Amino acid sequence: MENVDIARTLDDVAILLEIKGANPFRIRAYQNAARTVEDHSEPLRKMVEGGADLTELQSIGKDIAGYITELVESGTVQLIEDLEKEIPRSLIEVTRVPGVGPKRTRKLWEELGIETVEALAESAQAGDVAKLSGFGAKSQQKILDAIAARRRVVGRFKLSDADQYVTPLVVHMRELDAVQRLEVAGSYRRRRETVGDIDLLAIATEPQRVIEHFTTYRDVRKIELAGDTKCTVILTSGIQVDLRILPPESYGAALQYFTGSKEHNVRFRKRAVARGIRVSEYGVFRTDSNAEEPSDPLAGEYLAGREEEDVYEALGLPWIPPELREDRGEIDAAEKGSLPELITLDDIRGDLQMHSTWSDGKNSLEEMLDGCVAKGYEYFAITDHSKALAMTGGLDAAKLEMQWAEIEEIASRRSDIRILRGMEVDILAGGDLDLEDDMLQALDVVLVSVHSKLDLPTVEQTERILRAIQHPAVHILAHPTGRVLNRREPMQFDLDEVLHCAAEHGVVVELNAHPDRLDLKDTHLMRAKELGLKISLGTDAHRVGDLDLMHYGVDQARRAWLSEDDVVNAWSLERVLEWLESRGG
DNA sequence: GCCGTTTTCGGCCCGACTGTTTTCAGTCG
């Protein structure tokens, strides 16, 4: 029972209550609690076991704390069992069909007996949905399209995929002279590891021309809606793009608003309300308590909105980097002046995971070296695979010694960068390492990672990793959870226990910067930092070009509030060597 | 259901677009 499972259960309760037509504020209470749980770095399971008081957590009161405890201890909650007696749980999926919310779900269920997405598709196909009051032919078609689209594109887009769609689109939009400013907001700007859609923001003199330019972009497959200031399209890739057009005096406010996250904005606006001001995408306004004009978004005295910095300043706060805007304490930190000095790409001085043609890399060792020199690095580690990964041409002791000879030869004539002799050593099924101890000791840097038997039972998997990282030669636990975004779930194991053990033994954990992995994820990294662990940002490059992926790691590190001091490969060579030599040798 | 520098009751973020119910509810972000 991990935090994600608890959060999902709370979200399910909220949806069931919504279908039931419960008090909207009660519903939101469950949603807020789910968010808290999802973002909490420490497993609530452990807090429950340790007898901690869950009501200390934001948005969790006596009742929900009780439900969480019940859930952890018994695997289920009476509340949801009771709700399921009234409302089929499968209706939760129906509410996730775009255009169908809880109200319409209830109507479909009551009047047509629809309990599943499949049944909804069939009913819509048969034309029954259009006959319901409140629905029509267009609604019915939208539902059919939405279900078909859902089947085509599952889930969210990896940030690196989104980059591929966004970059040319931004170029296209900026080509139009009527566009004065254009930015990408949303989770893309917050640099989340995956994005659901793309939010574009424009200041323009002639909105209609901008909308037309947007909708005629070569990759637009479908126009979902087009108004005077707002337009939504679906690209051929299936990704949705929202465009909003605003006047200059609203630009900063809109950028703030559409960057989100939703949770950050809720907290932000509550702060505004407490100060008698109102924040919307149009700007910051002094609320006129006498005037009863809630319909006018421009009512009241305009205080700020032109630049994002002004909007934060109007609420007495410094500007907050987008990566932090997840309602994880950033507004409190901003207020206290204790926002972290976030790491930047410029801080990175080396890369401690990459491969060469010695195993499954596409470039030679010296080509990789040239790539690192071109990045201005002071050092890098070459970390080819060990022999257990036969398919990658992993190295045994003899081959590793041959590689060391090559490294020595190159180092003798290349003094522009320090080469560290490393290896990504496989963690075997029982937790042994795939290299002899004397060789491990002789390496400058030892990464260990799991590549096989990813589906061991939780307890065995945990034991296996714990055993491996307790080996005195180990420096870094690489891609700790083994997940591959949108393709492979993380391994089942007790990550928190592994992090504790790593902290105890001075082992560094990796943030694998490859955009397919980004492993550990942001909340895990926050937990690691909390436990005093240091982090290594490694690209896991298999070709020179992959060295450029470091920025995805930095994005993720920033989302985890990491600073230069938290990241070992932002340290000077001297400090890195000191750390490496303090272990192993 | 949660919360508190309007604190144990009475609030809880705000606006756009669509389709359809001819005056607005539902959904979405």
Side-chain angles (χ1 to χ4, degrees):
Chain A
M1 185 66 55
E2 298 306 320
N3 289 354
V4 281
D5 307 310
I6 298 169
R8 193 181 308 123
T9 305
L10 291 170
D11 274 326
D12 285 357
V13 170
I15 294 173
L16 290 173
L17 287 171
E18 232 175 332
I19 297 172
K20 204 180 152 187
N23 176 348
F25 298 109
R26 186 179 167 212
I27 292 161
R28 194 185 292 166
Y30 282 98
Q31 289 167 338
N32 290 341
R35 277 282 306 159
T36 296
V37 171
E38 193 182 326
D39 281 342
H40 195 66
S41 51
E42 188 187 354
L44 265 67
R45 165 178 52 81
K46 292 210 164 174
M47 295 181 70
V48 169
E49 283 161 10
D53 181 8
L54 299 179
T55 63
E56 298 279 308
L57 300 175
Q58 190 66 235
S59 303
I60 294 183
K62 196 163 139 283
D63 290 17
I64 294 183
Y67 294 140
I68 293 173
T69 305
E70 190 188 347
L71 192 56
V72 167
E73 287 173 350
S74 74
T76 183
V77 163
Q78 194 55 45
L79 171 69
I80 206 160
E81 312 252 323
D82 290 344
L83 280 167
E84 275 184 71
K85 281 177 196 147
E86 295 179 62
I87 299 149
R89 197 161 183 172
S90 56
L91 287 180
I92 291 168
E93 273 310 304
V94 177
T95 67
R96 296 203 172 111
V97 175
V100 182
K103 301 263 166 54
R104 293 181 130 191
T105 295
R106 186 187 174 95
K107 189 160 196 133
L108 290 163
W109 172 51
E110 282 183 340
E111 309 213 356
L112 296 175
I114 288 168
E115 295 193 0
T116 64
V117 175
E118 289 69 34
L120 173 59
E122 282 171 27
S123 267
Q125 198 68 57
D128 294 334
V129 172
K131 292 174 195 155
L132 289 182
S133 74
F135 291 80
K138 283 198 175 179
S139 296
Q140 178 169 272
Q141 191 55 45
K142 271 191 137 178
I143 287 168
L144 282 171
D145 291 348
I147 293 174
R150 249 165 67 100
R151 287 176 181 151
R152 269 198 305 278
V153 180
V154 192
R156 299 166 62 88
F157 288 79
K158 284 181 292 193
L159 184 58
S160 53
D161 290 347
D163 268 327
Q164 295 174 26
Y165 307 129
V166 167
T167 309
L169 175 58
V170 166
V171 169
H172 171 81
M173 291 307 293
R174 287 185 178 148
E175 276 167 5
L176 189 72
D177 55 2
V179 174
Q180 292 166 8
R181 287 175 85 173
L182 184 108
E183 290 297 334
V184 187
S187 51
Y188 179 87
R189 183 165 181 243
R190 300 200 312 279
R191 307 310 285 164
R192 268 190 68 169
E193 59 195 28
T194 60
V195 300
D197 59 16
I198 303 294
D199 299 294
L200 293 184
L201 222 55
I203 293 184
T205 42
E206 301 159 87
Q208 273 312 322
R209 279 186 63 207
V210 180
I211 300 266
E212 194 191 325
H213 188 68
F214 179 58
T215 54
T216 54
Y217 178 57
R218 63 173 188 276
D219 268 356
V220 169
R221 185 176 75 200
K222 185 163 181 252
I223 300 164
E224 286 281 304
L225 62 89
D228 293 337
T229 62
K230 184 178 172 178
C231 182
T232 297
V233 302
I234 309 287
L235 301 184
T236 48
S237 56
I239 200 164
Q240 176 176 318
V241 186
D242 296 336
L243 169 69
R244 282 292 284 263
I245 300 161
L246 293 121
E249 62 272 18
S250 297
Y251 189 70
L255 188 56
Q256 195 285 325
Y257 180 81
F258 288 108
T259 295
S261 67
K262 194 173 174 220
E263 291 74 17
H264 174 87
N265 286 354
V266 166
R267 187 164 300 275
F268 193 66
R269 251 180 276 168
K270 275 185 189 162
R271 186 184 169 86
V273 169
R275 293 163 176 244
I277 51 187
R278 189 182 82 246
V279 181
S280 75
E281 62 262 53
Y282 292 106
V284 183
F285 299 88
R286 167 105 36 225
T287 310
D288 185 350
S289 51
N290 299 323
E292 283 296 321
E293 286 184 89
S295 57
D296 181 7
L298 299 176
E301 179 199 353
Y302 172 88
L303 299 177
R306 194 166 279 274
E307 300 295 334
E308 210 177 35
E309 286 81 356
D310 308 337
V311 174
Y312 280 93
E313 197 188 337
L315 269 71
L317 295 172
W319 181 81
I320 298 175
E323 296 93 330
L324 298 185
R325 301 184 197 168
E326 297 289 346
D327 190 26
R328 293 173 180 161
E330 69 278 6
I331 289 179
D332 283 348
E335 166 134 54
K336 291 186 201 127
S338 61
L339 283 172
E341 183 89 14
L342 294 180
I343 186 156
T344 67
L345 190 56
D346 283 345
D347 294 331
I348 300 295
R349 303 193 195 201
D351 190 338
L352 299 179
Q353 178 168 193
M354 73 188 65
H355 301 260
S356 73
T357 45
W358 280 92
S359 65
D360 60 347
K362 298 289 180 271
N363 288 102
S364 70
L365 210 158
E366 192 157 6
E367 286 165 347
M368 297 305 284
L369 177 146
D370 286 331
C372 289
V373 169
K375 295 220 146 312
Y377 288 163
E378 295 167 32
Y379 52 86
F380 73 101
I382 199 80
T383 57
D384 278 301
H385 290 288
S386 61
K387 63 180 183 298
L389 283 188
M391 60 183 175
T392 68
L395 311 181
D396 58 14
K399 280 193 186 154
L400 188 57
E401 285 188 323
M402 287 165 67
Q403 189 190 44
W404 291 351
E406 182 180 322
I407 290 174
E408 195 177 350
E409 188 275 319
I410 293 173
S412 70
R413 53 190 171 75
R414 298 293 299 266
S415 58
D416 44 354
I417 192 166
R418 172 66 183 265
I419 313 174
L420 298 168
R421 300 192 306 190
M423 181 175 248
E424 186 183 8
V425 182
D426 236 58
I427 300 175
L428 303 174
D432 286 329
L433 301 183
D434 187 30
L435 188 69
E436 295 78 357
D437 276 358
D438 57 331
M439 299 298 284
L440 287 170
Q441 302 289 351
L443 284 165
D444 294 321
V445 52
V446 176
L447 276 69
V448 295
S449 58
V450 173
H451 291 102
S452 58
K453 301 213 184 235
L454 304 174
D455 55 354
L456 285 182
T458 305
V459 173
E460 272 177 64
Q461 195 70 277
T462 306
E463 286 302 317
R464 171 194 194 182
I465 298 169
L466 288 176
R467 176 133 189 272
I469 63 174
Q470 285 175 61
H471 190 293
V474 172
H475 296 103
I476 299 171
L477 175 61
H479 49 75
T481 76
R483 74 163 179 180
V484 179
L485 286 167
N486 288 354
R487 209 169 78 220
R488 189 167 79 205
E489 291 297 301
M491 294 184 287
Q492 294 292 310
F493 71 107
D494 191 333
L495 175 65
D496 207 58
E497 200 169 339
V498 167
L499 293 178
H500 268 105
C501 179
E504 189 185 327
H505 289 83
V507 170
V508 166
V509 288
E510 185 183 68
L511 158 51
N512 193 291
H514 198 290
D516 288 351
R517 288 190 181 267
L518 292 172
D519 180 9
L520 296 171
K521 69 173 184 179
D522 53 5
T523 48
H524 291 153
L525 292 165
M526 293 174 92
R527 175 63 172 160
K529 177 172 180 171
E530 198 176 299
L531 293 173
L533 283 158
K534 299 299 181 187
I535 315 295
S536 171
L537 266 59
T539 57
D540 206 348
H542 281 69
R543 55 185 61 76
V544 172
D546 288 351
L547 294 169
D548 293 338
L549 300 174
M550 184 63 82
H551 74 92
Y552 288 108
V554 172
D555 289 340
Q556 182 96 325
R558 290 169 63 85
R559 290 179 54 79
W561 298 51
L562 300 188
S563 302
E564 202 176 351
D565 183 59
D566 300 312
V567 175
V568 292
N569 51 313
W571 296 352
S572 67
L573 175 61
E574 191 185 12
R575 187 173 173 196
V576 166
L577 291 176
E578 200 174 302
W579 155 56
L580 293 175
E581 283 160 15
S582 69
R583 294 185 53 79

